[in-house]
Amino acid sequence: MTNKTTIKIKIPTQYLGKLVKGSMEKVLTGSGTSLNPSSSPPATVSTVTPARIPNPEQYIILPGKSHGSYSYPDTLLSIERQYKGKNWFDSHKALSDTGFYMPTLRQFVDFLALLRSGTVRDGNAQSLPPRRVSELFEDITAVRDPYRGEWLDADFKESPGGLMMNYGHRIDAQGKLVQQYTQPVTPCLMQDKNPGIDLVDWIAKATATGLPPSDVKSGTVWYWFPRSDNMSVARFDANSGWAGLYCCGYPSDAGAGLGVRAAREKK
Amino acid sequence: MKITLPKHFLGKSVAGTLERVLAGTPTSTPTSSTTPPSIVTTPTITDPQNYIILPGTIHGKYTYPQLLVSMTITHKNKNWNDTHAALAAEQASMLSPRQFVDFLNLLQRGNSAYDGLGKKLSKKKCDAILDEIWTVRDPWRAEWFDAKFESRGGLAGIGTKLFINYGHTFQNNTVTPTHSEELTGYLANDKTPGIDKDDWLAKATVHGLPNPSISDGQLYYWHPHNGKVAGFYANSVWASLYCGWDPSYTDARLGVRAAREKNIRIKL
């Protein structure tokens, strides 16, 4: 007489980040190669979800971050600068009309840090090839023609408490541009440095508002500190002579090479 | 005691060697790594002064003979397969990652590199070549490596192994590897940034890849993936060992460092 023992094996629903369901069928039908983890780039096993937006491949996912009292959610940033030729105010208006807003200086610094990490996903949650990532970084920072510039959402205003940065602007129901955040500018580097500040050190040690700290290392990125003239906003410029953070731009400035990166919360 | 002779030594077939030596025709015999060449004669090269002698080396089972390696990048704007074809037409080949590591080490030492005419290279010249390869600055510089990665085996993603194919030849319009080995003991994740380049050069695997315990540094590293090939590139953002290059990719800045087996006469 033989004793029969029944062993029940519970199959997990996922293995190595892949759904187990249907695996056997795929293997048996000869399409099992796609199940090979080494054959796929990391993006396919990521938990990052695609954005629900038309043309998600034209955006980069900037992971949400907290910097002191300022925080922002996962954000989509357009790969290309848009609305070139518009001044700072009109750029806000154009972005708002299409459901976007202007990236803050802090988001811009985090964007540079993300690009430098080499690990960047587009709005489809697919990894960008590293060469494409470095091309994007160079497009922003390389000293070369033609002129490239982008507006940043940082408006400097003098107040009884000192020089403040207004940011997180949105256009309200009355069509008025209203800031969501106001924060003291200092402590930060409060003198021009041309040249320059060290880009990597700035990215690593930027203040909560994204400005370089007073002890930022010397380098090749030019820097103009925020002015207290109540008509200075921030932008990042690059041309054949220099690349730098310009915190004393007139909001009424405009130029063919000066645009803005469209930002919106990723959903 | 029974001694088993290897089939290959320094990339050469051992078969018939003894007969050739006894007959007085020891062609293509490797030289010592520290000995400058007495005579260099490579009929396909008209500018040996633009090449560097890379001594033949043994890395485990992988050996290669003494090579002449170009100081500059050529054959730009070709994909990986077309680059192999172009090199083959000139009796040249592409450097494997391991050969590239050895090449960098040679330049880094700065006191033992010789050009194809047997003239010792100055430290300044070695540094200039290294600067062109890996300094983070404009413009872009990029070069293909002779390494293609291939996943094999396993079922439903279990037990799959990643292989490196190298030593490719181009015959009958096909790029075919002469070596195919399982990748082991290498850093199997991206590091951006980065790995320490000196640690990489000192402790690279037999296939030229960084080992898993490599120190942190500024050299960006993207690990091998199935169907991809390796290369090195530097620009104003980073310098990187990139093992995820699509072989069909082309770029006006991406080329290859041609290598040729060095024929040398030895005084007996």
Side-chain angles (χ1 to χ4, degrees), chain A residues 67 70 104-106 109 165 167 183-185 188 206-211:
Chain A
H67 296 284
Y70 171 55
T104 65
L105 173 56
R106 183 66 246 191
V109 172
M165 179 196 282
Y167 59 103
Q183 211 165 325
V185 162
C188 74
T207 69
T209 57
L211 290 163

Side-chain angles (χ1 to χ4, degrees), chain B residues 67-268:
Chain B
L67 299 173
L68 289 176
V69 179
S70 173
M71 294 182 192
T72 56
I73 301 299
T74 55
H75 301 296
K76 293 179 181 176
N77 214 16
K78 291 184 186 295
N79 68 34
W80 188 79
N81 285 298
D82 289 347
T83 304
H84 272 293
L87 289 170
E90 303 170 355
Q91 293 103 41
S93 60
M94 196 181 279
L95 286 182
S96 69
R98 182 66 247 186
Q99 289 169 333
F100 184 70
V101 166
D102 294 339
F103 181 65
L104 293 178
N105 271 319
L106 177 70
L107 293 170
Q108 185 106 303
R109 283 195 294 276
N111 59 1
S112 53
Y114 296 85
D115 70 16
L117 293 171
K119 186 181 166 194
K120 192 169 184 176
L121 262 64
S122 66
K123 176 83 166 59
K124 189 178 173 185
K125 180 64 180 175
C126 291
D127 287 346
I129 297 167
L130 285 172
D131 172 80
E132 186 65 15
I133 291 171
W134 63 27
T135 298
V136 177
R137 60 166 170 77
D138 261 337
W140 275 66
R141 295 93 65 205
E143 58 190 287
W144 291 117
F145 290 158
D146 181 18
K148 189 170 186 179
F149 305 102
E150 180 186 357
S151 290
R152 289 187 209 155
L155 184 65
I158 303 168
T160 300
K161 292 174 178 173
L162 192 60
F163 282 69
I164 181 172
N165 297 332
Y166 61 105
H168 287 86
T169 59
F170 185 79
Q171 289 173 335
N172 302 322
N173 286 323
T174 307
V175 178
T176 309
T178 57
H179 294 72
S180 186
E181 289 150 18
E182 185 185 347
L183 279 179
T184 55
Y186 71 104
L187 184 62
N189 55 271
D190 297 343
K191 210 157 165 55
T192 57
I195 59 173
D196 182 82
K197 70 174 189 283
D198 292 333
D199 205 30
W200 170 45
L201 297 186
K203 300 177 192 166
T205 69
V206 294
H207 299 120
L209 297 176
N211 68 56
S213 60
I214 191 166
S215 305
D216 293 343
Q218 290 304 310
L219 181 67
Y220 281 58
Y221 170 69
W222 280 272
H223 72 286
H225 285 284
N226 180 41
K228 306 297 184 185
V229 297
F232 193 95
Y233 74 95
N235 56 29
S236 69
V237 188
W238 55 55
S240 74
L241 172 60
Y242 185 40
C243 299
W245 230 315
D246 190 320
S248 65
Y249 180 68
T250 61
D251 191 300
R253 304 160 295 191
L254 171 59
V256 70
R257 194 174 297 278
R260 291 175 167 85
E261 192 173 324
K262 189 173 83 60
N263 298 317
I264 184 166
R265 283 184 227 138
I266 305 296
K267 287 181 184 175
L268 296 174

Side-chain angles (χ1 to χ4, degrees), chain A residues 58-81:
Chain A
Q58 295 175 11
Y59 295 84
I60 278 172
I61 299 173
L62 179 67
K65 276 200 165 48
S66 291
H67 296 284
S69 59
Y70 171 55
S71 65
Y72 59 86
D74 286 355
T75 300
L76 295 172
L77 273 183
S78 65
I79 290 174
E80 301 293 334
R81 296 179 197 87

Side-chain angles (χ1 to χ4, degrees), chain A residues 60-63 109-121 133 203:
Chain A
I60 278 172
I61 299 173
L62 179 67
V109 172
D110 291 340
F111 177 53
L112 292 178
L114 177 71
L115 294 178
R116 267 193 62 80
S117 78
T119 305
V120 178
R121 296 175 195 281
V133 175
I203 291 171

